[in-house]
């Protein structure tokens, strides 16, 4: 919120103001759009031209083409999972801006705290192992962590597992969690609700392990294993560990 007035002051010098479709971006960009008096475009997944974009709707089941007015600054969030990361040796020009704008005082920063982990970051990892409600408990999630550690993967979870208290919110994958696009996604005990599928639709290869052969997750999985996760996961861990 405090950054929005500073961006607003610079807005007229630019034609487009873009932010990521992350918690930070989804909080900041609407404030900027409101100050400018323009409509924000959310979750851009494809750029057609300077003012036409595509974005997912209905939990990713349909793609909407939207056109921004050419008479106003375009304010939008970009779905980062829809784009490959730029090469590290690319050199972008960074301009330093010094602001003398007094920020709003109705909110204030107190502190920043987040969970720490030696595992890769969930949103940027090449491999992600996620567990669902069928894992059964926070104690049983240890086998998810162990499997992930063997293959240097990040760990995630379905909303059902988060709501059940098995894992913290920061691990949630899906429409109301993190949108990810790893090269390999392993879904263990996840039924495949549409909200979860939305968060992994850009993954390279999806592997699903579930005892219910009719689970929706198998409709999008590239590889499916029907069986008891409490037997399959330990066996898989042993094979990979050896």
């Amino acid at each position: 919120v405090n950054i929005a007035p500073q961006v607003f002051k610079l807005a007229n010098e630019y034609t487009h103001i873009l932010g990521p479709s992350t918690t930070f971006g989804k909080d900041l960009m609407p404030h900027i759009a409101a100050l400018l008096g323009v409509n924000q475009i959310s979750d851009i997944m494809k750029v057609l031209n300077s003012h036409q974009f595509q974005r997912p709707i209905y939990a990713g089941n349909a793609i909407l083409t939207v056109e921004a007015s050419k008479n106003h600054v375009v304010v939008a969030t970009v779905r980062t999972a829809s784009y490959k990361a730029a090469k590290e040796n690319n050199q972008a020009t960074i301009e330093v801006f010094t602001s003398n704008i007094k920020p709003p005082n109705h909110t204030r920063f107190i502190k920043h705290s987040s969970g720490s982990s030696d595992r890769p970051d969930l949103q940027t990892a090449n491999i992600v192992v996620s567990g669902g409600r069928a894992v059964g408990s926070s104690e049983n999630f240890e086998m998810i962590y162990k499997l992930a550690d063997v293959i240097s993967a990040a760990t995630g979870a379905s909303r059902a597992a988060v709501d059940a208290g098995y894992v913290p919110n920061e691990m949630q994958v899906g429409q109301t969690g993190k949108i990810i696009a790893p090269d390999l996604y392993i879904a263990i005990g996840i039924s495949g609700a549409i909200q979860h599928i939305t968060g992994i639709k850009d993954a390279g290869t999806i592997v699903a392990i579930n005892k219910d052969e009719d689970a929706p997750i198998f409709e999008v999985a590239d590889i499916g294993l029907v069986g008891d996760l409490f037997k399959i996961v330990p066996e898989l861990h042993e094979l990979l560990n050896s």
Side-chain angles (χ1 to χ4, degrees):
V1 177
N2 291 342
I3 300 175
Q6 302 176 53
V7 177
F8 171 67
K9 183 179 180 181
L10 293 171
N12 289 330
E13 299 179 22
Y14 299 91
T15 59
H16 295 67
I17 301 175
L18 307 178
S21 290
T22 59
T23 303
F24 173 77
K26 291 176 180 179
D27 179 51
L28 173 63
M29 303 311 288
H31 284 90
I32 297 172
L35 290 172
L36 289 169
V38 301
N39 294 322
Q40 178 199 293
I41 299 174
S42 300
D43 275 350
I44 290 176
M45 61 183 299
K46 187 176 182 180
V47 177
L48 301 180
N49 59 47
S50 63
H51 286 76
Q52 280 192 330
F53 313 93
Q54 288 186 340
R55 63 178 298 266
I57 58 174
Y58 300 124
N61 284 322
I63 305 300
L64 177 69
T65 298
V66 294
E67 183 171 0
S69 171
K70 294 182 179 180
N71 299 322
H72 305 291
V73 175
V74 176
V75 179
T77 57
V78 179
R79 187 170 178 153
T80 55
S82 297
Y83 297 89
K84 294 291 184 182
K87 295 180 180 179
E88 293 184 1
N89 59 355
N90 285 359
Q91 297 295 320
T93 301
I94 299 175
E95 297 181 18
V96 179
F97 168 69
T98 302
S99 172
N100 57 3
I101 297 175
K102 186 177 181 180
N105 58 12
H106 61 284
T107 61
R108 68 186 189 278
F109 175 79
I110 297 177
K111 67 176 181 178
H112 176 267
S113 61
S114 61
S116 59
S117 174
D118 294 330
R119 299 185 183 92
D121 178 71
L122 177 57
Q123 287 194 285
T124 58
N126 292 324
I127 305 174
V128 174
V129 179
S130 286
R133 182 164 47 191
V135 175
S137 68
S138 55
E139 291 77 17
N140 289 342
F141 247 84
E142 285 299 321
M143 66 179 174
I144 304 296
Y145 301 140
K146 289 179 180 178
L147 178 61
D149 290 341
V150 170
I151 54 178
S152 300
T155 53
S158 67
R159 177 173 179 172
V162 172
D163 288 346
Y166 300 163
V167 294
N169 289 338
E170 62 203 44
M171 286 178 59
Q172 183 175 324
V173 174
Q175 186 177 18
T176 54
K178 291 182 171 65
I179 307 294
I180 59 175
D183 295 330
L184 173 62
Y185 183 75
I186 303 176
I188 300 172
I190 295 175
S191 62
I194 187 62
Q195 292 85 356
H196 188 79
I197 300 301
T198 299
I200 62 170
K201 64 184 297 293
D202 293 316
T205 299
I206 298 175
V207 177
I209 301 173
N210 200 297
K211 67 179 181 180
D212 180 8
E213 62 182 17
D214 295 321
I217 190 70
F218 289 124
E219 295 179 10
V220 298
D222 299 287
I223 300 172
L225 296 174
V226 178
D228 186 349
L229 68 88
F230 294 102
K231 292 182 179 179
I232 294 176
V233 174
E235 290 177 4
L236 185 59
H237 176 270
E238 185 177 347
L239 287 171
L240 291 170
N241 201 31
S242 61

